[in-house]
Amino acid sequence: MTSCRAHSQAATPLKPSVAQAEWLRSSSVPAQDNTKLFHDIYKQLVETDTSHSTGSTTVAANAVKQRLHDAGFAESDIQIFEPVERKGDLVLRFTGSGQRKPLLLLGHLDVVEAKREDGWNTDPYKLTEADGFYAARGSIDDKAMVSALISGLVQLKREGFKPNRDIVLALTADEEAGKDNGAKWLMDNKFDLMNAEYGLNEGGRALLVDGKPTLQGVQVAEKTYVTYQVEAKAAGGHSSVPTPENAIYTLTAALNRLAAYRFPPSLSDPTRDNFGALAAGRSGQEADDMRAVAAGNPSPEALDRLSANPENNAQLRTTCVSTMLAAGEAENALPQTAKATINCRILPQDKPDDIDKQFKAALADSKLIVTPKLDPAGGISPTNGDVMAAVTSLTKELFPTAAVSSFMSTGATDSKYARSKGIPMYGVSGLFMVPSDAGRIHGVNERAPIAGLDASREFLYRLIKQLSQ
């Protein structure tokens, strides 16, 4: 679940709220014979170091391959690709009747770096149970969903299920860090294996509020990720004789103009849908403003009020923010160069060329050297098809207190590589959590509610089956 932002959080006791614990105890999802298999796979993957610096997704991929082979999948059904050492990707093809185009199940094996000395209560690479939670790096992102997908397919295989389409499972490297992204490599080099009618991935947002599942958010879009390097140049000279031309001043003046600029709002269908769902849990002016967005007719004042919240602002408009600076050559020399890295997240319905023009206009200095690097996004997945219908029906069955809403992710997942190739992707997991636990992802003491994990596994198993019969 990459949001491309790191969370830092002080160590806190691994104890659920009273309300949350009540839902975990009373969850209506029945115990399944395959729950133990899921937990075994989950423990094995979590305790396999797949971090960028010291780990290996190839080791994890081979462990998964053995599990799948033991479950009855043929050797020819499973392929491991290792374009870079330690960065292995696994692709399983569960052969169906071919009545429909394949279903793609996407997940990443790698995890964010974690060190015990950073404030973890437990060893981050050992699955630890406490107070109804499993704590470890990757306990949510993304080994919870990966383990659920594997165990669900194993269960279907053992049941003799005959899907009406091929089901493709792709478990990949370098979603979190590193330059060898496995999903991108597979889409670019093995598209014949990956091509599908649509796919499921991480990126969903399932909220537990006051002890009850309240919102199953399905990610159908995400912002385009664009990095700009902006550089100012000057003649330099000795610092004892300052001149009016100073690369640092030139650059910082432009950055201040950019900071004051706000891109215009733009409301996509997923954004309207999401604000409508969120309004149900809000009150007063905030609820009215959210309903106005959902209706597509918010006033400028309503947009200003909502935009005061950074999360809302990121949903409503394209954003650009300075993230890195480098300038000067010596403490006693006038700077000859000053560089800034600026990260922009472009709404999927906005045109990058238009944003580029606005970006340069906001800097308001034609002498600056501006270099963009654009990643694909791939637009918005349809919200009126099989996947949303299946998610809605299963959510009503398993989590009757939860509404279902599509939404746009402000961060990035590997779904962008599939969407850029024309494959609609849907981020959904059914793992309901309180917002504070979701906030631990990428931070210390990442943890997942055990009953929530089991319910998520059951939800994904049924979703895969419903979409393949």
Side-chain angles (χ1 to χ4, degrees):
M1 181 185 304
T2 296
S3 62
C4 288
R5 64 178 184 181
H7 301 275
S8 61
Q9 183 166 335
T12 54
L14 301 181
K15 186 175 182 180
S17 68
V18 173
Q20 182 181 2
E22 180 60 31
W23 178 78
L24 294 176
R25 286 194 297 270
S26 62
S27 172
S28 62
V29 176
Q32 300 290 325
D33 292 340
N34 291 277
T35 299
K36 183 180 184 302
L37 172 66
F38 164 62
H39 283 252
D40 289 346
I41 295 170
Y42 180 62
K43 178 178 173 62
Q44 182 180 24
L45 287 181
V46 166
E47 296 187 350
T48 301
D49 181 1
T50 54
S51 64
H52 173 61
S53 61
T54 61
S56 170
T57 60
T58 303
V59 171
N62 278 298
V64 173
K65 180 179 180 179
Q66 186 61 53
R67 291 258 182 199
L68 295 170
H69 190 268
D70 291 345
F73 289 101
E75 187 76 19
S76 58
D77 295 333
I78 313 163
Q79 298 184 67
I80 292 180
F81 304 96
E82 192 180 35
V84 176
E85 187 179 6
R86 298 190 300 113
K87 305 293 184 177
D89 310 302
L90 178 142
V91 179
L92 163 73
R93 197 168 200 92
F94 189 159
T95 304
S97 67
Q99 293 172 252
R100 302 182 65 178
K101 285 185 66 176
L103 167 66
L104 174 63
L105 307 178
L106 186 62
H108 65 88
L109 293 168
D110 65 312
V111 296
V112 170
E113 306 285 334
K115 297 180 180 179
R116 179 70 181 267
E117 57 267 27
D118 287 341
W120 283 78
N121 293 337
T122 60
D123 182 343
Y125 293 112
K126 183 174 178 60
L127 193 66
T128 304
E129 180 180 352
D131 298 317
F133 288 89
Y134 280 138
R137 172 58 82 228
S139 56
I140 299 173
D141 187 14
D142 182 31
K143 291 178 178 179
M145 186 168 182
V146 165
S147 301
L149 295 177
I150 297 166
S151 66
L153 292 178
V154 169
Q155 180 176 349
L156 290 172
K157 185 71 171 177
R158 289 176 173 174
E159 290 172 350
F161 178 66
K162 302 296 184 184
N164 65 0
R165 61 166 98 219
D166 289 0
I167 304 173
V168 179
L169 173 68
L171 305 180
T172 64
D174 274 15
E175 194 271 353
E176 301 287 13
K179 59 183 177 61
D180 301 300
N181 184 280
K184 183 179 187 302
W185 187 90
L186 288 169
M187 286 294 170
D188 288 344
N189 295 278
K190 301 292 178 181
F191 186 68
D192 58 324
L193 288 177
M194 301 290 282
N195 194 13
E197 182 177 356
Y198 43 66
L200 308 178
N201 189 22
E202 64 167 348
R205 184 170 58 197
L207 299 179
L208 193 66
V209 179
D210 294 331
K212 295 180 180 179
T214 60
L215 180 62
Q216 175 95 282
V218 183
Q219 190 241 57
V220 298
E222 55 191 49
K223 284 184 164 180
T224 304
Y225 187 99
V226 183
T227 300
Y228 282 94
Q229 180 176 279
V230 178
E231 182 176 6
K233 288 184 175 292
H238 200 285
S239 64
S240 64
V241 187
T243 63
E245 184 184 46
N246 185 301
I248 292 176
Y249 295 160
T250 299
L251 179 63
T252 55
L255 295 181
N256 284 331
R257 290 190 290 270
L258 179 65
Y261 180 75
R262 190 159 69 173
F263 289 89
S266 179
L267 306 180
S268 66
D269 288 343
T271 297
R272 293 172 57 185
D273 190 24
N274 187 49
F275 272 98
L278 291 173
R282 310 299 169 88
S283 61
Q285 185 68 64
E286 183 182 31
D288 290 342
D289 291 344
M290 287 183 169
R291 281 191 284 268
V293 170
N297 58 359
S299 66
E301 294 77 15
L303 290 170
D304 283 344
R305 286 189 293 266
L306 289 173
S307 296
N309 179 310
E311 294 283 347
N312 292 338
N313 184 64
Q315 289 285 335
L316 292 169
R317 55 174 48 83
T318 289
T319 60
C320 292
V321 61
S322 300
T323 55
M324 298 175 69
L325 284 170
E329 293 73 42
E331 65 180 48
N332 61 349
L334 298 177
Q336 298 177 50
T337 62
K339 299 178 183 179
T341 299
I342 300 168
N343 182 239
C344 295
R345 303 302 179 100
I346 301 176
L347 292 171
Q349 66 269 25
D350 283 352
K351 295 180 180 179
D353 287 347
D354 291 343
I355 297 301
D356 186 74
K357 292 176 183 177
Q358 293 180 60
F359 178 82
K360 291 174 180 175
L363 292 174
D365 189 337
S366 60
K367 294 181 181 179
L368 294 171
I369 301 169
V370 180
T371 307
K373 180 182 178 182
L374 176 70
D375 272 358
I380 301 172
S381 300
T383 58
N384 58 351
D386 296 347
V387 177
M388 290 299 297
V391 169
T392 300
S393 65
L394 286 173
T395 299
K396 184 177 181 179
E397 178 182 351
L398 296 178
F399 313 106
T401 60
V404 175
S405 165
S406 61
F407 77 100
M408 176 201 70
S409 171
T410 57
T413 69
D414 280 341
S415 289
K416 64 184 178 182
Y417 299 115
R419 289 195 185 106
S420 69
K421 297 288 189 180
I423 303 174
M425 294 296 294
Y426 298 86
V428 59
S429 71
L431 178 54
F432 285 86
M433 296 180 292
V434 296
S436 59
D437 282 332
R440 294 170 183 261
I441 297 170
H442 290 195
V444 299
N445 295 323
E446 180 181 350
R447 68 181 189 178
I450 297 173
L453 285 169
D454 294 342
S456 171
R457 192 217 78 89
E458 180 68 15
F459 170 80
L460 288 170
Y461 159 74
R462 296 191 193 188
L463 181 60
I464 295 167
K465 189 171 185 177
Q466 186 165 325
L467 293 173
S468 305
Q469 64 183 6

